[in-house]
Amino acid sequence: MTDVIDPATGESFTTVPSLDLTGTDAAIERAQQAFARWREVAPGDRARLLRRFAAVVDEHIEELAQLEVRNAGHTIGNARWEAGNVRDVLNYYAGAPERLIGRQIPVPGGIDVTFHEPLGVVGIIVPWNFPMPIAGWGFAPALAAGNTVVLKPAELTPLTAIRLGELALEAGLPEHVFQVLPGKGSVVGQRFVTHPAVRKVCFTGSTEVGKSIMAGCADQVKRVTLELGGKSANVVFADADLEAAAAAAPGAVFDNAGQDCCARSRLLVQDTVYDKFLALLEPAVRAFRVQDPADETTEMGPLISSGQRDVVSSYVQSSDVAFRGTAPQGAGWWFPPTVLLAGSERDRHWREEIFGPVLSVLPFRDEAEAIRLANDTEYGLSGSIWTRDLGRALRMSRAVETGALSVNSNSSVRYWTPFGGMKQSGLGRELGPDALLSFTDVKNVFLSMGE
């Protein structure tokens, strides 16, 4: 059994079972057996089941949100959005089974057609920072394509995934088509990598672990989708709407206590407006509401664990602090929103992913330097450009090496558009109209017309 701890109090409030290797193998074998039946379900019937799953999730939005507040320390507003995102992603991909069409390719002597065949069992490994939506981004398109799913939630945050597994059965999905397997990554997650019946692994988490999963999957030439770390830049030019950019910047890095691969944790400000922008930013940071995540007015809750708080603290030196917000004292894993001034691009807090509510700020001279600094990282997941110049916006958008970029906005994710990283931020794309294809093999069939 594994204790589940409330990050706002630091206290255990329940336990969940932790599967061993034998239990994991048994679940994978059940999924493999269920695949033969699930792939034969008519596309329209599979679509109806996914829509029913979405409807059942919708009936339990508040329950799921309250679970996430207590288990992950998410604000109640964010948690409701996250549960709603699972519903919306299921509804979106419920439209996919009947549209998973191949092609007819002109060839001499016959007809050539292609089919998108489901892979089989898909293993999905979910992180602790966004347990509900990232689970849905994997299992919804995988199920829509005709695969069965085994899903391992993070050890720290298993509760909403377990409940989603129960709701899937309540909605009428056949038994063993979607199974949630709580347990250690070294046991359950690693078995997804090594078990030959698991034909694809979807992993969201650290770049270090992602590399080991990719290496393990290579042994069986197993497909893999990776969404890994980030150190995204928020680039503010002198011609931007500075008030809007400064008001939006705290949410872009402090949302979910900075525990977000898309966090715009590197703030680049053009030198001619650097002091003015910091003056606008300071009151926005100090006003950012860090309090009980169950409170409707809360903008940021606690960090996930004491260990994570120790990691974040290690990056903050008093000499680098420009200003900070406030956070509750006492029990729980609280940390105040913090803005650090980077002395140079070599500073550790500027270069490394902190995964906490810490923002590093550095000035730049011109467009060329902004591009160089934004790209001077091993990561490439997200980012923002703030400017009123359309030509500059387009030039920067093409030049910055990142998978999801916003202009005059800090938005990274829409379920109907692709999401994923460049460089060491990942491999493959989730969400959007093409996500289903990564859960299929293309089969080419030639039918001879004979003499």
Side-chain angles (χ1 to χ4, degrees), residues 5 15 55 66-67 79-80 122 125 134 137 144 148 210 219 255 289 318 341 347 376 404 409 420 422:
I5 295 175
T15 59
Q66 294 292 344
L67 269 180
R80 288 180 183 133
V122 173
I125 304 172
I134 292 176
W137 300 355
T148 54
D219 187 57
D255 184 60
R289 293 186 297 276
S318 58
L341 301 182
D347 286 1
D376 185 24
S409 165
M422 296 180 177

Side-chain angles (χ1 to χ4, degrees), residues 6 13 60-76 79-80 83 132 159-160 293-296:
D6 183 341
F13 64 95
H60 293 80
I61 292 289
E62 189 65 20
E63 175 197 349
L64 289 164
Q66 294 292 344
L67 269 180
E68 209 69 290
V69 168
R70 196 165 190 199
N71 189 182
H74 290 192
T75 66
I76 185 60
R80 288 180 183 133
M132 278 193 287
L159 298 186
T160 49
D295 190 316
E296 298 283 349

Side-chain angles (χ1 to χ4, degrees), residues 74-377:
H74 290 192
T75 66
I76 185 60
N78 280 5
R80 288 180 183 133
W81 179 91
E82 290 156 17
N85 183 259
V86 176
R87 172 203 59 210
D88 294 342
V89 169
L90 278 166
N91 271 323
Y92 181 76
Y93 288 110
E98 295 166 293
R99 295 168 177 80
L100 190 57
I101 54 176
R103 294 187 295 172
Q104 184 270 316
I105 303 171
V107 295
I111 297 173
D112 197 274
V113 294
T114 62
F115 298 92
H116 291 284
E117 303 286 7
L119 300 173
V121 181
V122 173
I124 299 172
I125 304 172
V126 178
W128 50 257
N129 61 328
F130 290 106
M132 278 193 287
I134 292 176
W137 300 355
F139 70 68
L143 293 171
N147 302 280
T148 54
V149 169
V150 287
L151 183 147
K152 194 203 87 67
E155 295 165 57
L156 294 172
T157 55
L159 298 186
T160 49
I162 291 171
R163 188 65 180 125
L164 286 170
E166 296 168 349
L167 296 178
L169 291 173
E170 185 178 319
L173 264 71
E175 196 173 17
H176 310 317
V177 164
F178 174 43
Q179 299 176 78
V180 176
L181 314 182
K184 292 183 177 295
S186 58
V187 177
V188 180
Q190 183 61 22
R191 192 57 177 144
F192 291 178
V193 173
T194 60
H195 198 299
V198 178
R199 302 296 300 278
K200 176 173 180 174
V201 174
C202 298
F203 171 78
T204 300
S206 72
T207 297
E208 180 183 5
V209 175
K211 288 177 181 179
S212 69
I213 287 175
M214 188 175 182
C217 288
D219 187 57
Q220 297 176 17
V221 195
K222 184 176 298 190
R223 285 161 178 74
V224 62
T225 294
L226 303 173
E227 196 272 280
L228 307 176
K231 189 70 175 176
S232 299
N234 188 0
V235 185
V236 180
F237 284 93
D239 70 332
D241 182 337
L242 299 182
E243 288 76 11
V253 66
F254 303 143
D255 184 60
N256 201 32
Q259 299 166 133
D260 183 353
C261 299
C262 292
R264 276 74 167 163
S265 55
R266 293 185 301 149
L267 178 61
L268 286 160
V269 183
Q270 197 157 21
D271 53 6
T272 55
V273 295
Y274 180 78
D275 292 336
K276 178 180 179 180
F277 190 85
L278 288 179
L280 292 168
L281 179 64
E282 182 171 1
V285 171
R286 294 192 184 280
F288 209 74
R289 293 186 297 276
V290 184
Q291 53 197 34
D292 182 352
D295 190 316
E296 298 283 349
T297 65
T298 299
E299 294 178 287
M300 181 182 127
L303 292 165
I304 189 63
S305 67
S306 60
Q308 187 63 19
R309 186 174 62 180
D310 291 343
V311 169
V312 174
S313 298
S314 73
Y315 284 90
V316 178
Q317 305 298 324
S318 58
S319 59
D320 296 329
V321 174
F323 41 84
R324 308 182 84 167
T326 59
Q329 301 296 312
W333 318 130
W334 303 96
F335 197 91
T338 301
V339 176
L340 304 180
L341 301 182
S344 79
E345 60 204 82
R346 295 182 296 277
D347 286 1
R348 178 170 171 252
H349 63 78
W350 176 262
R351 302 204 64 82
E352 298 180 15
E353 185 179 33
I354 300 173
F355 226 59
V358 178
L359 176 63
S360 302
V361 189
L362 190 68
F364 68 90
R365 292 185 301 277
D366 54 23
E367 197 172 308
E369 186 174 36
I371 293 169
R372 181 183 67 79
L373 291 170
N375 289 339
D376 185 24
T377 172

Side-chain angles (χ1 to χ4, degrees), residues 153 229 382:
S382 193

